[in-house]
């Protein structure tokens, strides 16, 4: 009895249309209009055929629970889990102060924050307040209509009515499908000449861009909205990790695992950053929860949700694709271990997740420079093979790392259950994946190991507490460990040692103050050269600074400005009278960035310093080129 069939179809099919056909990143590529037409048409046909076959196959599934199950009495969940609520509130409270910190000058935070502003490449940021007003009006209208009883009942009845009871109105279905094709075709025709924008590059997936854009519509163009999204992901990850452990263990073990996760310094840092890693861990934990729940209760809803969140997670960040192989591989290994046949139905459900993944992989192969490339020699290099493992003590302390090593031994010898085996496979899969990738060693990628670290430590310490047998032993161990982790993750004098990237600290620069100066002082007809100031584009949109007034170079600097004389020549050729650049005691000055040190010294006095802004020892200088 497929009571909630349409409920599932809506949640599966609608994102395919929105993320591929309405959101233009998949087809508004740097190609001719004719090529765009072929790409758009191909996507339309591909998803139409997919919907047809998946729709038919869905009818054979026993689905008797809704896609989203709302708690009957939400307060009951809070009252039954006061420990989890407490640690989540503490973690959220400790992060609030950092939500307002400047945009990091390291990593990809500035890039992702700017990605949410893609729409202002096509419309003036001056229109943002009107855009924001219309968004709020539409949201209020939708919420108001949803509260009107007849509309609500009509919509819910359609979603929850069984196909046999509802019947099939073929003429109406034909009209609906035809109208959808016509509207999508008209939409493409109107936007067929949309200028290509690197912010829409398929190198970066669409879900974060849409989420961040929505946050700007809610709260205006600032860093707080996107960071709140990551903070929510961070808290939800802890909640679902707690629920996952609860499937196989007791409440104390689950609380310990959630607390270890929340207050690990690396996870704590990315909870208030605009980077995407808290969201990545959320999808990893969410997929793990529904997959393990399916294994325990064999409810097809959970396997469908596993497949669904793998696909949505991939369109959030491509790393989530690995969860498809982890879940599929675990099903296969489990079948061999239990001498069970691998179910074709299970495989089909997991394969649904690949439908929205495959087109993005194909498009990315031709239109992005950064694709995951396997370098097998990394496996044979002992330094590379152990690099990520040896990063763990530098991001969570040697004391916790030593406990983690003990927990691995405990799990291997005494605790080889469903929970530990799956999270062990999760750790190994992501470890191997990041090790053999051609990319440089990036400590932020090691966040994928922390769900396993939290689960293993929680199981080990919980067992240790049980062996002690004292009435208050759990409270003592939990309190001491949680206090220690809070201390090293939130106190600046402690946490700075755990947030290094290749020896560099994640320090902030006063880029916003500098860009305010640019807005007020660089007049029409003048230009300023911004060298290696990553948040510059974000602040240009925020403060409505004319893009023609700022010439910027983000990451590696080209040869054309690698020396003082070349900078002077570049400025003269491009009618640029001002230079803005960062400098700090630990800011990178290798390669072409050595020129920043030369600019700061200005030994030949070829520039006039007219402004400087600092955050501690980190400065942004603004020079004027002498005539």
């Amino acid at each position: 009895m497929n009571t909630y069939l349409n409920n599932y179809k809506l949640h599966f099919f609608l994102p395919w249309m929105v993320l591929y056909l309405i959101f233009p990143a998949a087809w508004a590529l740097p190609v001719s209009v004719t090529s765009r037409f072929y790409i758009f048409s191909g996507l339309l046909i591909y998803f139409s055929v997919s919907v047809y076959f998946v729709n038919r196959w869905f009818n054979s599934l026993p689905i008797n629970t809704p896609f989203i199950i709302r708690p009957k009495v939400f307060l009951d969940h809070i009252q039954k889990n006061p420990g989890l609520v407490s640690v989540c509130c503490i973690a959220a409270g400790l992060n609030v102060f950092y939500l307002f910190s400047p945009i990091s000058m390291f990593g990809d935070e500035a890039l992702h924050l700017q990605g949410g502003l893609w729409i202002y490449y096509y419309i003036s940021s001056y229109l943002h307040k009107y855009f924001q007003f219309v968004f709020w009006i539409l949201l209020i209208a939708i919420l108001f209509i949803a509260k009107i009883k007849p509309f609500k009942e009509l919509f819910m009845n359609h979603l929850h009515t069984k196909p046999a009871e509802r019947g099939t109105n073929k003429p109406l279905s034909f009209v609906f499908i035809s109208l959808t094709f016509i509207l999508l075709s008209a939409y493409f025709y109107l936007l067929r000449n949309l200028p290509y924008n690197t912010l829409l590059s398929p190198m970066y997936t669409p879900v974060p861009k849409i989420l961040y854009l929505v946050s700007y519509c809610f709260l205006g163009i600032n860093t707080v909205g996107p960071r709140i999204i990551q903070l929510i992901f961070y808290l939800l990850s802890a909640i679902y990790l707690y629920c996952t452990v609860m499937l196989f263990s007791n409440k104390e073990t689950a609380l310990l695992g959630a607390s270890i996760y929340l207050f690990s310094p690396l996870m704590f840092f990315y909870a208030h950053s605009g980077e995407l890693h808290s969201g990545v861990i959320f999808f990893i934990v969410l997929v793990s929860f529904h997959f393990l729940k399916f294994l325990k209760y064999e409810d097809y809803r959970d396997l469908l949700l596993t497949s669904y969140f793998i696909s949505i997670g991939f369109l959030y960040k491509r790393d989530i694709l690995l969860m498809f192989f982890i879940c599929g591989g675990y099903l296969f290994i489990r079948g061999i271990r239990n001498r069970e046949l691998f179910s074709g139905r299970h495989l089909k459900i997991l394969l649904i997740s690949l439908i929205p993944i495959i087109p993005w992989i194909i498009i990315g192969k031709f239109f992005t420079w950064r694709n995951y490339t396997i370098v097998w020699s990394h496996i044979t290099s002992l330094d590379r093979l152990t690099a990520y493992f040896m990063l763990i003590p530098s991001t969570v302390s040697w004391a916790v790392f030593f406990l983690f090593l003990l927990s691995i031994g405990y799990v291997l010898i005494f605790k080889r259950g469903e929970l530990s085996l799956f999270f062990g496979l999760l750790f190994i899969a992501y470890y191997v994946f990041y090790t053999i990738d051609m990319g440089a060693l990036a400590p932020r990628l090691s966040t994928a190991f922390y769900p396993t670290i939290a689960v293993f430590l929680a199981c080990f310490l919980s067992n240790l507490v049980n062996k002690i047998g004292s009435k208050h032993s759990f409270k003592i161990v939990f309190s001491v460990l949680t206090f220690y982790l809070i201390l090293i993750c939130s106190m600046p004098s402690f946490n700075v040692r755990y947030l290094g990237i290749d020896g560099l600290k994640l320090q902030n620069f006063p880029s916003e103050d500098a860009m305010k100066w640019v807005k007020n002082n660089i007049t029409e007809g003048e230009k300023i050269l911004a060298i290696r100031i990553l948040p510059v584009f974000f602040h240009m949109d925020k403060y409505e600074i004319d893009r023609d007034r700022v010439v910027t170079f983000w990451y590696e600097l080209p040869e054309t400005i690698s020396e003082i004389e070349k900078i002077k020549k570049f400025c003269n050729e491009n009618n640029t009278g001002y230079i803005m650049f960062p400098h700090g005691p630990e800011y990178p000055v290798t390669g072409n960035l050595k020129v920043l040190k030369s600019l700061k010294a200005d030994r030949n006095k070829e520039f006039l310093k007219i402004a400087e802004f600092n955050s501690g020892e980190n400065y942004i200088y603004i020079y004027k080129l002498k005539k």
Side-chain angles (χ1 to χ4, degrees):
M1 292 177 62
N2 302 337
T3 307
Y4 298 96
L5 189 61
N6 280 355
N7 195 314
Y8 285 80
K9 290 178 182 179
L10 177 67
H11 283 89
F12 269 86
F13 300 158
L14 187 60
W16 299 354
M17 182 174 70
V18 171
L19 298 176
Y20 273 96
L21 300 175
I22 296 177
F23 189 73
W27 52 266
L29 300 166
V31 293
S32 67
V33 173
T34 303
S35 297
R36 287 183 175 186
F37 170 75
Y38 289 138
I39 295 170
F40 187 89
S41 300
L43 290 170
L44 187 57
I45 294 170
Y46 172 78
F47 285 113
S48 298
V49 172
S50 299
V51 166
Y52 174 77
F53 284 106
V54 174
N55 180 64
R56 292 187 62 181
W57 186 69
F58 262 4
N59 293 331
S60 66
L61 288 177
I63 305 171
N64 297 311
T65 50
F67 187 87
I68 298 173
I69 300 177
R70 296 177 178 83
K72 293 180 179 179
V73 184
F74 186 73
L75 286 176
D76 283 355
H77 290 271
I78 295 176
Q79 292 171 356
K80 290 177 182 178
N81 301 283
L84 177 64
V85 174
S86 298
V87 293
C88 285
C89 288
I90 292 170
L94 291 173
N95 273 283
V96 168
F97 171 77
Y98 298 100
L99 294 176
F100 302 92
S101 59
I103 300 173
S104 176
M105 290 279 281
F106 298 99
D108 293 331
E109 182 181 29
L111 182 65
H112 293 302
L113 292 175
Q114 180 63 20
L117 295 171
W118 58 271
I119 198 167
Y120 299 111
Y121 180 86
Y122 304 107
I123 64 173
S124 170
S125 56
Y126 172 77
L127 298 174
H128 174 78
K129 54 187 176 183
Y130 302 106
F131 191 72
Q132 188 176 8
F133 176 76
V134 171
F135 179 86
W136 275 103
I137 293 296
L138 287 173
L139 181 63
I140 293 170
I142 291 170
L143 293 175
F144 177 75
I145 292 172
K147 290 294 182 181
I148 299 175
K149 194 172 182 180
F151 287 102
K152 183 178 180 180
E153 289 179 351
L154 179 65
F155 180 72
M156 296 306 292
N157 287 340
H158 182 73
L159 284 181
H160 297 166
T161 302
K162 290 171 279 187
E165 295 176 357
R166 187 177 62 250
T168 304
N169 191 330
K170 290 186 178 180
L172 185 60
S173 298
F174 176 77
V175 170
F176 175 76
I177 293 171
S178 299
L179 185 61
T180 302
F181 271 82
I182 291 170
L183 289 175
L184 287 173
S185 300
Y187 177 76
F188 171 77
Y189 181 79
L190 290 173
L191 298 182
R192 66 192 186 283
N193 291 313
L194 195 72
Y196 175 68
N197 180 2
T198 54
L199 293 177
L200 292 180
S201 166
M203 176 178 171
Y204 297 103
T205 43
V207 171
K209 297 171 187 175
I210 295 173
L211 289 177
Y212 283 11
L213 176 60
V214 170
S215 78
Y216 298 141
C217 292
F218 265 105
L219 302 173
I221 301 176
N222 58 64
T223 59
V224 175
R227 287 172 173 174
I228 287 176
I229 289 174
Q230 294 302 318
L231 180 60
I232 292 171
F233 279 144
Y234 161 77
L235 296 173
L236 288 175
S237 298
I239 293 170
Y240 274 100
L241 191 67
Y242 176 91
C243 294
T244 305
V245 176
M246 281 280 287
L247 291 172
F248 303 95
S249 191
N250 56 48
K251 190 177 291 187
E252 287 77 14
T253 305
L255 178 60
L256 194 56
S259 183
I260 292 169
Y261 171 82
L262 284 170
F263 301 116
S264 295
L266 200 63
M267 299 314 309
F268 182 84
F269 172 79
Y270 284 108
H272 53 258
S273 167
E275 293 210 36
L276 305 181
H277 299 288
S278 290
V280 171
I281 305 308
F282 166 71
F283 280 105
I284 288 175
V285 174
L286 185 61
V287 169
S288 301
F289 167 72
H290 284 292
F291 181 71
L292 289 171
K293 190 179 177 186
F294 164 74
L295 294 182
K296 184 170 184 179
Y297 298 112
E298 297 186 352
D299 184 345
Y300 278 99
R301 170 185 179 269
D302 287 300
L303 192 58
L304 281 167
L305 289 177
T306 298
S307 181
Y308 176 78
F309 287 118
I310 288 174
S311 63
I312 298 298
F314 172 86
L315 293 172
Y316 175 86
K317 202 167 189 295
R318 293 178 297 174
D319 304 40
I320 303 301
L321 175 61
L322 193 58
M323 291 303 296
F324 170 82
F325 298 101
I326 292 171
C327 294
Y330 190 84
L331 275 178
F332 182 75
I333 294 170
R334 186 174 183 263
I336 294 175
R337 188 185 66 184
N338 298 338
R339 297 180 181 180
E340 297 174 353
L341 292 176
F342 188 82
S343 171
R345 177 176 281 181
H346 298 168
L347 179 61
K348 285 181 181 178
I349 293 176
L350 284 178
L351 286 174
I352 294 174
S353 67
L354 295 183
I355 292 174
I357 289 175
I358 291 171
W360 202 271
I361 292 176
I362 295 172
I363 293 169
K365 187 70 176 177
F366 294 98
F367 293 99
T368 67
W369 61 269
R370 175 66 171 98
N371 289 293
Y372 293 112
T373 304
I374 295 175
V375 181
W376 292 110
S377 60
H378 287 175
I379 293 290
T380 59
S381 168
L382 184 62
D383 288 341
R384 177 72 185 204
L385 189 60
T386 58
Y388 275 112
F389 199 74
M390 296 312 298
L391 274 176
I392 297 174
S394 68
T395 57
V396 77
S397 84
W398 278 98
V400 176
F401 177 66
F402 178 71
L403 289 174
F404 175 57
L405 291 178
L406 293 177
S407 73
I408 294 174
Y410 164 75
V411 166
L412 289 174
I413 299 171
F414 302 109
K415 197 73 175 179
R416 294 192 300 273
E418 205 87 85
L419 181 70
S420 56
L421 287 175
F422 179 81
F423 276 92
L425 178 62
L426 181 73
F427 184 97
I428 293 169
Y430 272 98
Y431 192 94
V432 172
F433 175 66
Y434 290 136
T435 297
I436 64 177
D437 181 50
M438 66 171 289
L441 184 72
R444 64 182 182 271
L445 298 179
S446 63
T447 53
F449 311 147
Y450 277 81
T452 301
I453 292 172
V455 168
F456 277 28
L457 279 173
C459 292
F460 170 65
L461 293 175
S462 181
N463 179 73
L464 197 63
V465 165
N466 290 335
K467 288 188 179 300
I468 294 173
S470 173
K471 183 179 179 181
H472 301 290
S473 56
F474 173 78
K475 292 180 180 179
I476 294 171
V477 170
F478 174 78
S479 300
V480 170
L481 180 60
T482 301
F483 178 77
Y484 172 72
L485 289 173
I486 290 175
L487 190 69
I488 66 173
C489 78
S490 61
M491 298 296 289
S493 57
F494 289 94
N495 71 3
V496 68
R497 74 187 65 177
Y498 300 115
L499 300 178
I501 290 184
D502 298 333
L504 304 168
K505 306 306 177 188
L506 290 163
Q507 299 185 52
N508 297 309
F509 285 72
S511 56
E512 187 162 10
D513 292 335
M515 290 304 292
K516 288 179 182 177
W517 185 94
V518 171
K519 177 179 174 63
N520 296 326
N521 293 276
I522 303 298
T523 59
E524 187 174 354
E526 294 182 318
K527 292 182 182 180
I528 185 169
L529 172 63
I531 301 177
R532 229 317 184 138
I533 299 177
L534 304 189
V536 63
F537 287 115
F538 179 85
H539 293 310
M540 285 167 65
D541 285 331
K542 180 177 180 178
Y543 293 110
E544 301 169 18
I545 299 172
D546 189 346
R547 290 178 178 271
D548 293 335
R549 298 184 188 183
V550 182
V551 180
T552 185
F553 293 97
W554 266 30
Y555 286 93
E556 293 299 322
L557 306 185
E559 281 296 321
T560 50
I561 59 168
S562 60
E563 298 173 5
I564 294 291
E565 289 302 317
K566 291 181 179 180
I567 289 178
K568 288 176 59 180
K569 181 181 178 182
F570 178 88
C571 290
N572 289 326
E573 290 176 350
N574 292 273
N575 193 28
T576 304
Y578 298 85
I579 300 172
M580 177 168 63
F581 65 96
H583 191 274
E586 295 188 68
Y587 197 79
V589 288
T590 57
N592 287 347
L593 290 178
K594 289 179 181 178
V595 72
L596 299 180
K597 192 173 183 179
S598 301
L599 275 172
K600 170 65 172 62
D602 190 20
R603 299 186 187 281
N604 297 327
K605 304 299 179 185
E606 298 179 82
F607 303 95
L608 177 66
K609 184 171 73 174
I610 56 175
E612 67 177 46
F613 306 91
N614 76 293
S615 176
E617 296 181 292
N618 298 318
Y619 284 80
I620 289 182
Y621 295 99
I622 298 178
Y623 287 178
K624 185 174 183 179
L625 190 65
K626 290 182 179 179
K627 299 295 183 181

